[in-house]
Amino acid sequence: ELENQLTTKRKTLDELKKSLALNDSGEQTPEALSFRIAELCEMVDSIVSQLAQLKTSMQSVLEQWRVCDEVYAEVSVMTTRYLYCIDQCKPSVVSLEALKNQVKTLQ
Protein backbone atom coordinates (compact mmCIF):
# COMPACT_ATOMS: atom_id res chain seq x y z
CA GLU A 1 0.00 0.00 0.00
CA LEU A 2 2.79 2.41 0.92
CA GLU A 3 4.65 1.54 -2.27
CA ASN A 4 1.53 2.34 -4.31
CA GLN A 5 1.16 5.69 -2.57
CA LEU A 6 4.79 6.54 -3.18
CA THR A 7 4.47 5.54 -6.84
CA THR A 8 1.42 7.78 -7.22
CA LYS A 9 3.28 10.69 -5.65
CA ARG A 10 6.24 10.09 -7.92
CA LYS A 11 3.96 10.18 -10.98
CA THR A 12 2.32 13.39 -9.78
CA LEU A 13 5.72 15.00 -9.30
CA ASP A 14 6.77 13.89 -12.78
CA GLU A 15 3.61 15.48 -14.19
CA LEU A 16 4.41 18.71 -12.37
CA LYS A 17 7.94 18.68 -13.76
CA LYS A 18 6.66 18.11 -17.31
CA SER A 19 4.11 20.84 -16.85
CA LEU A 20 6.78 23.26 -15.68
CA ALA A 21 8.95 22.36 -18.68
CA LEU A 22 6.01 23.00 -21.05
CA ASN A 23 5.21 26.32 -19.42
CA ASP A 24 8.81 27.46 -19.69
CA SER A 25 9.06 26.48 -23.36
CA GLY A 26 6.39 28.73 -24.81
CA GLU A 27 3.91 31.54 -24.32
CA GLN A 28 0.40 30.68 -23.20
CA THR A 29 -2.79 32.67 -23.04
CA PRO A 30 -4.01 33.97 -19.69
CA GLU A 31 -6.99 31.58 -19.88
CA ALA A 32 -4.72 28.59 -20.44
CA LEU A 33 -2.44 29.71 -17.61
CA SER A 34 -5.43 30.14 -15.30
CA PHE A 35 -6.65 26.64 -16.16
CA ARG A 36 -3.17 25.22 -15.62
CA ILE A 37 -2.88 26.95 -12.25
CA ALA A 38 -6.19 25.40 -11.20
CA GLU A 39 -4.87 21.98 -12.29
CA LEU A 40 -1.69 22.49 -10.31
CA CYS A 41 -3.66 23.52 -7.23
CA GLU A 42 -5.71 20.32 -7.52
CA MET A 43 -2.51 18.30 -7.80
CA VAL A 44 -1.06 20.00 -4.73
CA ASP A 45 -4.27 19.31 -2.80
CA SER A 46 -4.11 15.69 -3.90
CA ILE A 47 -0.51 15.40 -2.74
CA VAL A 48 -1.35 16.97 0.62
CA SER A 49 -4.21 14.50 1.04
CA GLN A 50 -2.01 11.56 0.09
CA LEU A 51 0.67 12.69 2.53
CA ALA A 52 -1.93 12.85 5.32
CA GLN A 53 -3.00 9.29 4.47
CA LEU A 54 0.62 8.16 4.40
CA LYS A 55 1.25 9.77 7.78
CA THR A 56 -1.76 7.97 9.25
CA SER A 57 -0.60 4.70 7.71
CA MET A 58 2.91 5.12 9.06
CA GLN A 59 1.63 5.93 12.55
CA SER A 60 -0.39 2.72 12.50
CA VAL A 61 2.62 0.70 11.35
CA LEU A 62 4.85 2.27 14.01
CA GLU A 63 2.26 1.48 16.68
CA GLN A 64 2.18 -2.15 15.54
CA TRP A 65 5.99 -2.32 15.67
CA ARG A 66 5.93 -0.85 19.19
CA VAL A 67 3.52 -3.59 20.28
CA CYS A 68 5.73 -6.24 18.63
CA ASP A 69 8.79 -4.87 20.45
CA GLU A 70 6.97 -5.01 23.79
CA VAL A 71 5.82 -8.59 23.18
CA TYR A 72 9.32 -9.61 22.07
CA ALA A 73 10.82 -8.14 25.24
CA GLU A 74 8.28 -9.99 27.37
CA VAL A 75 8.92 -13.29 25.58
CA SER A 76 12.66 -12.76 25.91
CA VAL A 77 12.37 -12.29 29.69
CA MET A 78 10.14 -15.36 30.00
CA THR A 79 12.58 -17.42 27.94
CA THR A 80 15.47 -16.33 30.13
CA ARG A 81 13.53 -17.27 33.26
CA TYR A 82 12.59 -20.63 31.75
CA LEU A 83 16.17 -21.41 30.83
CA TYR A 84 17.33 -20.41 34.31
CA CYS A 85 14.72 -22.70 35.93
CA ILE A 86 15.68 -25.58 33.64
CA ASP A 87 19.32 -25.06 34.53
CA GLN A 88 18.57 -24.95 38.27
CA CYS A 89 16.31 -28.02 38.18
CA LYS A 90 18.78 -30.29 36.43
CA PRO A 91 19.65 -33.28 38.53
CA SER A 92 23.30 -33.22 39.31
CA VAL A 93 25.24 -35.85 37.44
CA VAL A 94 27.16 -38.07 39.80
CA SER A 95 29.80 -40.52 38.72
CA LEU A 96 29.48 -44.23 39.43
CA GLU A 97 32.42 -44.07 41.83
CA ALA A 98 30.79 -41.27 43.81
CA LEU A 99 27.57 -43.29 44.06
CA LYS A 100 29.48 -46.34 45.29
CA ASN A 101 31.15 -44.19 47.94
CA GLN A 102 27.79 -42.76 49.05
CA VAL A 103 26.32 -46.29 49.29
CA LYS A 104 29.31 -47.43 51.37
CA THR A 105 28.95 -44.44 53.62
CA LEU A 106 25.24 -45.11 54.15
CA GLN A 107 25.90 -48.78 54.97
Side-chain angles (χ1 to χ4, degrees), residues 6 12-13 17 22 27 30 32 34 38 45 52 59-60 68 72 74-76 79-80 83 87 90 106:
L6 290 174
T12 303
L13 286 174
K17 288 177 185 177
L22 289 176
E27 295 289 323
S34 177
D45 290 343
Q59 287 173 339
S60 173
C68 286
Y72 176 81
E74 188 176 332
V75 168
S76 179
T79 302
T80 302
L83 291 174
D87 189 51
K90 281 184 187 174
L106 290 174

Coordinates of all heavy atoms in Angstrom, one line a residue, residues 6 12-13 17 22 27 30 32 34 38 45 52 59-60 68 72 74-76 79-80 83 87 90 106:
L6 N 3.6 5.9 -2.8 CA 4.8 6.5 -3.2 C 4.9 6.6 -4.7 O 5.3 7.6 -5.3 CB 6.0 5.8 -2.6 CG 6.2 6.0 -1.1 CD1 7.3 5.1 -0.6 CD2 6.4 7.4 -0.7
T12 N 2.8 12.0 -9.9 CA 2.3 13.4 -9.8 C 3.5 14.4 -9.9 O 3.3 15.4 -10.6 CB 1.6 13.6 -8.4 OG1 0.5 12.6 -8.4 CG2 0.9 14.9 -8.4
L13 N 4.6 14.1 -9.2 CA 5.7 15.0 -9.3 C 6.3 15.0 -10.7 O 6.7 16.1 -11.2 CB 6.8 14.6 -8.3 CG 6.5 14.9 -6.8 CD1 7.6 14.2 -6.0 CD2 6.4 16.3 -6.6
K17 N 6.7 18.3 -13.1 CA 7.9 18.7 -13.8 C 7.7 18.9 -15.3 O 8.2 19.8 -15.8 CB 9.0 17.6 -13.5 CG 9.6 17.6 -12.1 CD 10.6 16.5 -11.9 CE 11.1 16.4 -10.5 NZ 12.0 15.2 -10.3
L22 N 6.9 22.5 -20.0 CA 6.0 23.0 -21.1 C 5.7 24.5 -20.9 O 5.7 25.2 -21.9 CB 4.7 22.2 -21.1 CG 4.7 20.8 -21.6 CD1 3.4 20.1 -21.4 CD2 5.2 20.7 -23.0
E27 N 4.9 30.6 -24.9 CA 3.9 31.5 -24.3 C 2.5 30.9 -24.3 O 2.2 30.1 -25.2 CB 3.9 32.8 -25.2 CG 5.2 33.6 -25.2 CD 5.4 34.3 -23.9 OE1 4.4 34.8 -23.3 OE2 6.5 34.4 -23.4
P30 N -3.6 33.9 -21.1 CA -4.0 34.0 -19.7 C -5.0 32.9 -19.3 O -5.0 32.4 -18.2 CB -4.6 35.4 -19.6 CG -4.0 36.1 -20.7 CD -3.8 35.1 -21.8
A32 N -5.4 29.9 -20.6 CA -4.7 28.6 -20.4 C -3.9 28.5 -19.2 O -3.8 27.5 -18.5 CB -3.8 28.4 -21.7
S34 N -4.5 30.2 -16.4 CA -5.4 30.1 -15.3 C -5.9 28.7 -15.1 O -6.0 28.2 -14.0 CB -6.6 31.1 -15.6 OG -7.6 30.9 -14.5
A38 N -5.1 26.1 -11.9 CA -6.2 25.4 -11.2 C -5.8 23.9 -11.1 O -6.0 23.2 -10.1 CB -7.5 25.6 -11.9
D45 N -3.3 19.8 -3.8 CA -4.3 19.3 -2.8 C -4.3 17.8 -2.7 O -4.4 17.2 -1.6 CB -5.7 19.8 -3.2 CG -5.9 21.3 -2.9 OD1 -5.0 21.9 -2.2 OD2 -6.8 21.9 -3.5
A52 N -1.2 13.0 4.1 CA -1.9 12.8 5.3 C -2.3 11.4 5.5 O -2.1 10.8 6.6 CB -3.2 13.7 5.3
Q59 N 1.9 5.9 11.1 CA 1.6 5.9 12.6 C 1.1 4.6 13.0 O 1.5 4.0 14.0 CB 0.7 7.1 12.9 CG 1.3 8.4 12.9 CD 0.3 9.6 13.1 OE1 -0.9 9.4 12.9 NE2 0.9 10.7 13.5
S60 N 0.2 4.0 12.2 CA -0.4 2.7 12.5 C 0.7 1.7 12.5 O 0.8 0.8 13.4 CB -1.5 2.4 11.5 OG -1.9 1.1 11.7
C68 N 4.9 -5.1 18.9 CA 5.7 -6.2 18.6 C 7.0 -6.2 19.5 O 7.4 -7.2 20.0 CB 6.1 -6.3 17.2 SG 4.8 -6.8 16.1
Y72 N 8.0 -8.9 22.2 CA 9.3 -9.6 22.1 C 10.1 -9.5 23.4 O 10.7 -10.5 23.8 CB 10.1 -9.0 20.9 CG 11.5 -9.6 20.8 CD1 11.7 -10.8 20.2 CD2 12.6 -9.0 21.4 CE1 13.0 -11.4 20.1 CE2 13.9 -9.5 21.3 CZ 14.0 -10.7 20.6 OH 15.3 -11.3 20.6
E74 N 8.9 -9.1 26.4 CA 8.3 -10.0 27.4 C 8.6 -11.5 27.1 O 9.0 -12.2 28.1 CB 6.8 -9.8 27.3 CG 6.0 -10.5 28.4 CD 4.5 -10.2 28.4 OE1 4.1 -9.1 27.9 OE2 3.7 -11.0 28.8
V75 N 8.6 -11.9 25.9 CA 8.9 -13.3 25.6 C 10.4 -13.6 25.9 O 10.7 -14.6 26.4 CB 8.6 -13.6 24.1 CG1 9.2 -14.9 23.7 CG2 7.1 -13.6 23.9
S76 N 11.2 -12.6 25.6 CA 12.7 -12.8 25.9 C 12.9 -13.0 27.4 O 13.7 -13.8 27.8 CB 13.4 -11.5 25.4 OG 14.8 -11.7 25.7
T79 N 11.7 -16.4 28.4 CA 12.6 -17.4 27.9 C 13.8 -17.5 28.8 O 14.2 -18.6 29.2 CB 13.0 -17.1 26.5 OG1 11.8 -17.1 25.7 CG2 13.9 -18.2 26.0
T80 N 14.3 -16.4 29.2 CA 15.5 -16.3 30.1 C 15.1 -17.0 31.5 O 15.9 -17.8 32.0 CB 15.9 -14.9 30.3 OG1 16.3 -14.3 29.1 CG2 17.2 -14.8 31.2
L83 N 14.9 -20.8 30.9 CA 16.2 -21.4 30.8 C 16.9 -21.5 32.2 O 17.6 -22.5 32.5 CB 17.0 -20.7 29.8 CG 16.6 -20.8 28.3 CD1 17.4 -19.9 27.4 CD2 16.6 -22.2 27.9
D87 N 17.9 -24.9 34.1 CA 19.3 -25.1 34.5 C 19.4 -25.4 36.0 O 20.2 -26.3 36.4 CB 20.1 -23.8 34.2 CG 21.6 -24.0 34.4 OD1 22.1 -25.0 33.9 OD2 22.2 -23.2 35.2
K90 N 18.1 -29.1 37.0 CA 18.8 -30.3 36.4 C 19.3 -31.1 37.6 O 19.8 -30.6 38.5 CB 20.0 -29.9 35.6 CG 19.7 -29.4 34.2 CD 21.0 -29.1 33.5 CE 20.8 -28.5 32.2 NZ 22.1 -28.1 31.6
L106 N 26.6 -44.9 53.6 CA 25.2 -45.1 54.1 C 25.2 -46.5 54.8 O 24.4 -46.6 55.8 CB 24.2 -45.0 53.1 CG 23.9 -43.6 52.5 CD1 22.9 -43.6 51.4 CD2 23.4 -42.7 53.6

